[in-house]
Amino acid sequence: MPSPRVLGLVLAGGAGKRLAPLTADRAKPAVPFGGLYRLIDFVLSNLVNAGYLRIAVLTQYKSHSLDRHITTTWRMSNLLGNYITPVPAQQRLGPRWFAGSADAIHQSLNLVYDDDPDIVVVFGADHVYRMDPRQMVAQHLASGAGVTVAGLRVPRAEAGGFGVIQTGADGQTIEAFLEKPTDPPGLPDSPDEVFASMGNYVFSTNVLIDALRKDAADEDSHHDMGGDIIPMLVAQRTAAVYDFAANDVPGTTGRDHGYWRDVGTLDSYFEAHMDLCALDPVFNLYNREWPIFTSVPSLPPAKFVHDDPLRTGSAVNSIVSNGVIVSGGSVRSSVLSPGARVHSWSEIDRAVLLDNAVVGRGAVVRDAILDKSVQVSPGAQVGVDKDRDRARGFTVSPGGITVVGKGLTVTD
């Protein structure tokens, strides 16, 4: 059989308020991650590695840096008819912005009509994971479902933090979609687990169009994909679940197989970075068979200088990007983004430094995130005294991570 024609729609309109101040000046999918990447690079890499090369990214809030990243990094071959393009809210159906994720697609249906796909893959833009969507599409076609929802197995005890998919006896047909349930039924093959929705969907095109039209006419709807469209199709008994644990991505290890993180909070964003720093990474960026693509800045290789016993430039269990100079400072369990500078006698421990952050001589940065171009003055401390951090106007997460906003200067 010929391969289906697939159009990718990436939902990248989230404001990401829980990631503030990292989202004060950028959309959530544009937030840097892992040194070189943006969050959106993970979903786009999954689609491109699968050979799905016609992708529209639906944007809305503070989208300039996201639009620039997509247009300068993700350039497909026009000769072959491939494209990845940002699509802002255009008010095509009247003077209003997107009212929800479903409304974003409904207002952009011209993209679907123009491409005329057999299958529409609708994925979120702000999760860290590897996935081969071809396997999900194959199950969707074989099952005859109208929509297939990616499900992540989580313990029943943790179900209250997720939208939970309740399946029938076959383990695949979706019987109900439960929003943060306290006591959901377990899976047929694993009573102590439930399926949490990952926010990734595969639609047969005609089913998607019909559902969006019905939803748009419903004045009581919130016009949300997970909250309205999926329950509508569940009621029509045309929804199925895809078990993410069955997804076999080339090059994955036993340790990072099935890794998926919603980095929607400062604590989850920070912990996902710590996953990268482990000796045996919980998420392995070094998989050459399923690479994460991005634009790498034209900077020189990282450099470590000074070999004095009291002033040695070193980094242990850390990710150090190009353009970084560690000059006589100590770095442990941290991620240093391009252009960061660590000066003599300073200590960086469990920290994330974004592009061009500078830590002065004798300074200490611990359990902290420094946004782009933050300057830590010589002798100053960040993350050591949380009360003092709050008094200086810095954000401290519930998990005790201090976040210094873009371009700020930290004084002693």
Side-chain angles (χ1 to χ4, degrees):
M1 293 179 62
S3 298
R5 183 175 177 87
V6 176
L7 172 66
L9 296 181
V10 175
L11 300 174
K17 294 179 181 179
R18 294 181 299 165
L19 275 178
L22 300 180
T23 50
D25 196 39
R26 57 174 78 92
K28 181 180 175 183
V31 172
F33 184 85
L36 296 176
Y37 309 96
R38 305 279 186 134
L39 289 179
I40 198 170
D41 290 328
F42 293 86
V43 63
L44 293 180
S45 294
N46 287 327
L47 293 171
V48 167
N49 280 321
Y52 298 156
L53 306 178
R54 295 185 302 278
I55 305 167
V57 181
L58 307 186
T59 67
Q60 183 160 219
Y61 299 104
K62 300 177 183 176
S63 63
H64 172 66
S65 62
L66 178 60
D67 294 341
R68 183 178 59 192
H69 177 71
I70 294 170
T71 54
T72 57
T73 301
W74 290 95
R75 291 175 293 205
M76 298 290 104
S77 171
N78 291 329
L79 182 65
L80 300 177
N82 302 323
Y83 58 87
I84 298 179
T85 183
V87 181
Q90 301 176 74
Q91 301 190 0
R92 294 180 64 90
L93 302 181
R96 60 184 178 87
W97 302 114
F98 297 152
S101 54
D103 184 55
I105 300 176
H106 183 250
Q107 290 199 44
S108 307
L109 275 178
N110 61 297
L111 305 172
V112 179
Y113 298 141
D114 290 346
D115 196 86
D116 193 26
D118 303 303
I119 297 293
V120 180
V121 175
V122 179
F123 278 19
D126 45 22
H127 300 140
V128 176
Y129 67 113
R130 278 189 177 89
M131 178 182 187
D132 182 353
R134 293 172 298 189
Q135 297 167 34
M136 186 174 173
V137 169
Q139 179 192 295
H140 175 81
L141 293 171
S143 71
V147 62
T148 299
V149 183
L152 178 73
R153 289 175 179 257
V154 299
R156 283 184 68 245
E158 300 176 11
F162 298 94
V164 170
I165 300 165
Q166 180 181 341
T167 63
D170 63 359
Q172 190 173 110
T173 303
I174 301 178
E175 298 286 347
F177 196 84
L178 311 173
E179 186 62 31
K180 298 182 179 180
T182 56
D183 188 26
L187 298 176
D189 65 343
S190 182
D192 293 328
E193 291 183 312
V194 296
F195 277 133
S197 173
M198 297 170 60
N200 288 353
Y201 314 106
V202 172
F203 286 91
S204 298
T205 302
N206 60 329
V207 173
L208 174 63
I209 293 172
D210 183 62
L212 291 173
R213 286 174 174 170
K214 290 179 180 178
D215 178 75
D218 182 359
E219 295 181 355
D220 295 326
S221 173
H222 292 93
H223 310 297
D224 182 74
M225 292 299 293
D228 298 290
I229 298 297
I230 301 305
M232 178 196 304
L233 297 176
V234 168
Q236 297 174 12
R237 300 197 60 80
T238 188
V241 67
Y242 173 76
D243 188 351
F244 180 57
N247 197 258
D248 186 17
V249 177
T252 55
T253 66
R255 185 160 166 79
D256 75 345
H257 173 78
Y259 183 95
W260 181 84
R261 293 292 183 273
D262 180 355
V263 289
T265 67
L266 292 171
D267 287 323
S268 61
Y269 175 83
F270 181 82
E271 289 304 323
H273 276 91
M274 295 302 101
D275 288 344
L276 305 178
C277 294
L279 177 63
D280 183 6
V282 185
F283 183 70
N284 181 20
L285 289 174
Y286 304 93
N287 181 352
R288 294 188 178 184
E289 296 181 55
W290 198 270
I292 306 301
F293 298 107
T294 195
S295 175
V296 180
S298 298
L299 293 171
K303 185 177 182 180
F304 300 80
V305 294
H306 298 305
D307 193 22
D308 188 298
L310 301 178
R311 190 189 180 193
T312 302
S314 65
V316 179
N317 293 340
S318 298
I319 290 178
V320 182
S321 305
N322 50 331
V324 170
I325 298 178
V326 180
S327 176
S330 171
V331 178
R332 292 182 177 275
S333 300
S334 298
V335 176
L336 275 56
S337 302
R341 298 287 189 272
V342 177
H343 288 284
S344 294
W345 303 291
S346 61
E347 298 178 16
I348 314 296
D349 188 9
R350 283 176 47 87
V352 178
L353 275 59
L354 300 188
D355 300 51
N356 302 313
V358 177
V359 179
R361 288 189 169 202
V364 177
V365 179
R366 183 181 303 151
D367 292 324
I369 302 169
L370 308 184
D371 205 339
K372 289 186 175 183
S373 301
V374 166
Q375 302 274 330
V376 181
S377 300
Q381 296 185 344
V382 178
V384 177
D385 185 336
K386 301 302 178 181
D387 290 335
R388 188 179 181 201
D389 290 341
R390 293 186 187 94
R392 290 185 288 184
F394 305 144
T395 298
V396 178
S397 74
I401 303 304
T402 299
V403 185
V404 183
K406 186 176 180 180
L408 296 181
T409 297
V410 181
T411 57
D412 192 16

